[in-house]
Amino acid sequence: MSLKSGSIEHFEEFSQFTSLAQFNHHFEQWLLKHKADFSKGEIVGLKRLVRFAAKIPGVCNAKIGTILKSINEEYHENGISRSTFKRMILKAKEFGIITVYETERKNGSQTCNLYVFNRFPVNEPPKAEKMNQPIETSNLLKTEKGQKNKKRKEEPLELDHSYVSNHVPKEFVKLVKYFYSDAKTIEELWHMTQIAAYKYFRENKTEQMLDVAIEGFKQLIRKLKFTKAVRNPISYFYGILLNKFSQRFYDELYEKYDVSGSTSNNSIVDILNYDYFKCAI
């Protein structure tokens, strides 16, 4: 599909997001699922593409040269190559993270591509399609009607905690199952833990993730028992996790600085800036 080139505002209708925050949330989920599929250089290119897609959430029409130049300037001429960036684009297209459209000038010559980030697919059961069913005849046996109705009532089946994916720690499942017994809810709660942990560089600290998840879930249950103010338990749980991971991150940071005395003020600022940048995308 080829489009006429223009300013980024010209492509606002291609955005799949209502806000920058929503775009960032969906990108975080993509990154959690596919980060290991990209090289370090490709991740740098992908994250920079995200930054260029901030004005119109999820839409970018910057030239590759412009994107690479900004990376080289930040990394003091130690950026990534054009071939690395193109490999990243091919992978992102393959995984469904982005859709790429070619654009052309008025004279028909090709110009920069349009990169459109896609929403992360939510695992929801498909909606039942309405089909033209033949009208039942009045002489249909009652027993046959009863059998049909019985089959319909049996679907769908809800999977209990014993069907939770193996990537969710057993200790977490053991606690949560007494309050939320279905596998889908348990997995969604752990997924929120992964997203919050990634924001504060905790995604590889499995024991700390489990501790925070258990503490956070207990805090959620106490809140649910003592008040009716929680409308969305999963969103509230995510907020608890962000606060706890944030506290641990900064406690460790300042403890290291105070104890060692060897970290310069500039290093602390650099770490904080990097944390802010990571949380922003």
Side-chain angles (χ1 to χ4, degrees):
M1 178 179 178
S2 185
L3 306 170
K4 294 296 181 183
S5 61
S7 64
I8 189 62
E9 290 79 8
H10 180 70
F11 302 105
E12 186 173 1
E13 64 185 40
F14 283 83
S15 176
Q16 300 180 24
F17 309 97
T18 58
S19 66
L20 183 59
Q22 187 186 66
F23 168 44
N24 292 336
H25 176 70
H26 279 261
F27 177 69
E28 288 167 0
Q29 294 184 77
W30 279 119
L31 206 58
L32 278 172
K33 183 176 182 179
H34 291 295
K35 184 178 181 180
D37 297 315
F38 293 91
S39 67
K40 291 183 179 180
E42 290 166 352
I43 287 292
V44 170
L46 180 60
K47 287 186 176 182
R48 188 53 54 103
L49 185 64
V50 168
R51 293 177 68 179
F52 273 83
K55 188 172 184 179
I56 303 296
V59 180
C60 169
N61 67 339
K63 296 179 181 178
I64 294 180
T66 302
I67 298 174
L68 295 180
K69 181 181 178 181
S70 70
I71 296 174
N72 286 330
E73 288 176 350
E74 181 173 334
Y75 289 87
H76 307 292
E77 303 303 323
N78 293 315
I80 63 175
S81 65
R82 180 177 288 264
S83 59
T84 298
F85 187 86
K86 288 186 174 181
R87 281 198 304 272
M88 176 275 293
I89 293 296
L90 290 175
K91 288 183 180 180
K93 285 173 59 179
E94 179 183 351
F95 298 138
I97 301 174
I98 62 173
T99 301
V100 181
Y101 301 94
E102 293 181 353
T103 64
E104 59 181 26
R105 300 181 180 90
K106 291 181 179 180
N107 62 9
S109 60
Q110 187 176 347
T111 181
C112 55
N113 290 329
L114 178 70
Y115 305 101
V116 178
F117 282 84
N118 298 315
R119 296 170 66 88
F120 186 82
V122 179
N123 294 324
E124 295 179 347
K127 295 181 179 179
E129 297 182 0
K130 293 183 178 180
M131 302 179 64
N132 294 326
Q133 299 289 350
I135 300 175
E136 291 183 348
T137 57
S138 58
N139 60 350
L140 186 65
L141 294 176
K142 290 183 179 181
T143 54
E144 188 176 348
K145 283 185 178 180
Q147 290 175 351
K148 285 188 176 183
N149 291 333
K150 185 178 179 180
K151 289 181 179 179
R152 289 173 183 170
K153 290 179 181 179
E154 290 175 351
E155 299 176 356
L157 292 175
E158 185 179 270
L159 301 180
D160 64 18
H161 64 86
S162 64
Y163 288 89
V164 172
S165 173
N166 290 331
H167 77 271
V168 181
K170 293 181 179 179
E171 294 87 346
F172 186 70
V173 177
K174 185 177 180 181
L175 169 64
V176 177
K177 70 180 182 180
Y178 292 108
F179 303 93
Y180 298 100
S181 61
D182 61 297
K184 183 178 179 181
T185 301
I186 297 174
E187 290 177 357
E188 182 66 15
L189 289 167
W190 182 251
H191 186 54
M192 292 298 101
T193 305
Q194 291 177 304
I195 295 175
Y198 174 77
K199 277 182 172 289
Y200 290 98
F201 315 100
R202 314 284 97 174
E203 67 269 24
N204 294 323
K205 298 189 176 184
T206 53
E207 291 186 6
Q208 187 175 122
M209 285 176 62
L210 178 60
D211 289 343
V212 170
I214 290 176
E215 289 178 11
F217 185 75
K218 288 180 178 179
Q219 186 174 332
L220 169 66
I221 296 302
R222 286 196 297 270
K223 189 71 175 180
L224 291 173
K225 293 296 182 181
F226 295 126
T227 180
K228 296 181 179 180
V230 180
R231 296 183 178 180
N232 188 327
I234 292 180
S235 295
Y236 191 86
F237 177 64
Y238 180 63
I240 294 173
L241 294 172
L242 287 178
N243 289 332
K244 289 186 177 295
F245 280 121
S246 174
Q247 186 63 51
R248 294 203 179 200
F249 172 78
Y250 287 109
D251 284 348
E252 291 177 12
L253 182 65
Y254 289 118
E255 181 182 354
K256 181 178 180 181
Y257 173 66
D258 291 336
V259 172
S260 66
S262 60
T263 306
S264 67
N265 289 335
N266 288 336
S267 298
I268 292 294
V269 171
D270 289 341
I271 294 172
L272 294 177
N273 285 339
Y274 178 59
D275 172 54
Y276 172 79
F277 167 69
K278 183 175 180 182
C279 291
I281 66 169

